[in-house]
Amino acid sequence: MSRLGTIWLVAGRELKERMRSRATRVVTLLMPVLVFLLIAIPALVHAPASATTLGLVGRPAQALRADIQAAAKATGVEMRLRNVASTSSAKRQLGQGRIDVALALRGSSAVVTVPGSVGYFETQTLAPRIQAILQATVNVWHEQRVLLGAGVPIPVLRSALTPVPLSVKTLKPPPKDMVARDVAALAAAFLLYMTLALYGNAVVAGVAQEKTSRMAEVLVAAVRATDLLIGKVLGIGLFAFGQMLLTVAAAFVANAVFQNTAIPGTVWTLLPSILLWFLLGYVLYAFAYAVGGALVGRQEDVQTIAAPFMVPLIAGFMLTYLAIAEPTNAAVRILSFLPPLAPILMPARLALGPVAPWQVALAVLLTLLAIWGEVRLAARVYALALVHSGPRLTWRAALRLHRG
Amino acid sequence: MLEILGLEKRFGDTWALRDLSFEVREGEVFGFVGSNGAGKTTTMRIAMGVLAPDRGEVRWAGAPLGFAARQRFGYMPEERGLYPTMRLGEQLQYLARLHGLRQEDARRSAELWLERLGLLERAGDEVQVLSHGNQQRAQLAAALVFSPAALILDEPFAGLDPVAVDVMSGVLREQAQQGVPVLFSSHQLELVERLCDRVGIIRGGQMVAVGTVAELAKDGGERLWVDVGSDESAWAFGIPGVSVLRQEGTRTLLALDGGSDDQAVLRAAIRQGPVREFRRDVPPLSELFRNAVSEEVAR
């Protein structure tokens, strides 16, 4: 069998064994479901309020229809207007939920009626924005009545009561989708941090099981240690990639269904970037994790050996907050080129805004170089440590093995 | 033929192997015996490429043993090595494929060995749920599933019941009859004596004796059991080159130096009285082994 065939066979076993595990199957299904719910629940809880239906009671109130519509449009409030013949009819319709608010004008006074308690849990009082619209319209109606009574000519009256448009100028307009970008950056960093830690631990556990069960001793006669290492990393990686694609797909489906967040255009370009950096990050971390797994003496050592890898992963995730707070921060920019941090920080930066192509290329190049050096060292240390019996090896002892 | 030539290995300040050499011929079952820590496992791990020697080499069919040739070796490590959560049948097929068999051949071979070792009904079970004995059989199946060119088995009989011992012994003999060199280590010396064509005794990382049990016994000098109906052995005193080893009832065990005349012993015995027994003694392997170990202890 060719070496490529052997690597593929090892990877296939990893993939198959992982999918055979009931716990893994449950997690694979749960992760997309959880992400879907995480997006769906806030969307359902904070569902945008439906249009307010205002009942205009009697002819005087109905005469304000055009003014109320104009005020609602100006303030961006969706409002439906319905003519109601009498106060009693208005009360009935409020009770039936056919209208939300009723406006009646009597003499010089205006009366607004709302249902108040609706059922045990729900209350329906006058929303501040609706109140502001009605107040402004009633004020104008009142001024018109007073000024007309004082004999002010109608053209003068119209001119005086026509609102002056307020022009707002912003010196540094923030991007329209700034919040969405921040959320995307944080989500990307979190997703990468979680998946790299999760699958890195899967690699450590897999290698440790091979070592502690002495399977490694049987395998090294049949498979070159390098091929075994690559096959294992590839198999777990393929599984991880599949799980991640499912999760990301669930997020997009949920977003499309519930439309709770306007997906910024950068996210569509961010998706391939997340996948690329997951791939680079996974390879970078998985080989280091695999060597870690080969150092264990007992299965219980797995957590201890995996702990140091969490430091750069957590650092990368925490620095994302700094990047969000200060997108131009020089330290974050420089750190985003460094291989252990780049897989989390660079996609986060890409989510926050445009990054010069040379910067992305440099980060990719540095990560690839780190992977190249790491794989060369890892293959040798892995081969020696994997069949080393006795207590857990320290990293220093493992490197001594390497030097011979 | 598998040749172990001048192997040396040190772990820190401790010598594990010192100039260790022996060979296992085609179709031969070679028993590798020694005290705990004598160097058996280290030798086997070096032969399988798990460890690298400091000096010396392992040769196969006259050439240095490389990865391609070693891929055709069946191996049972001292501490059993199988994936605990993988199904037995799939695991054997996987190992067969890693050793170069095609998918269909791997499936057929796995089934064949599972049936031969009485594990066919357990093919769908995870290895971790099998009993110790069945795991041992599974490990042997893993070493045989790709029709190995040589077998290196570290303590294959440890913990097996008598029936399983018979099954495993039968399989090893069968493999040897097909020309496969079989090297195995064991502390069950009676079994080694019964099963092996040749034996090697290792002590402190050095091979102290290699050969058939008869050859090893001969190296220790000739021994005779003589029964002259007397519970005293004074009659044997004074025979040149002869010493009394022990007295059991009316029987006396004598050691003859190289070149001493057994007929002189017979004449002396006849002079003593009617000779009821006069036969050459072949000490069991356990005794030969103890002698070797006691020399070590004496040192």
Side-chain angles (χ1 to χ4, degrees), chain A residues 322-348:
Chain A
L322 186 58
I324 290 170
E326 291 181 52
T328 54
N329 187 292
V332 172
R333 282 184 173 195
I334 292 167
L335 289 172
S336 70
F337 295 118
L338 299 184
L341 300 171
I344 293 178
L345 269 184
M346 191 47 87

Side-chain angles (χ1 to χ4, degrees), chain A residues 277 280 284 319 329-347 349 355-370:
Chain A
W277 281 105
L280 291 171
L284 181 73
L319 283 167
N329 187 292
V332 172
R333 282 184 173 195
I334 292 167
L335 289 172
S336 70
F337 295 118
L338 299 184
L341 300 171
I344 293 178
L345 269 184
M346 191 47 87
R349 278 189 61 200
V355 178
W358 72 264
Q359 293 191 11
V360 180
L362 180 62
V364 170
L365 185 70
L366 287 175
T367 308
L368 285 174
L369 278 173

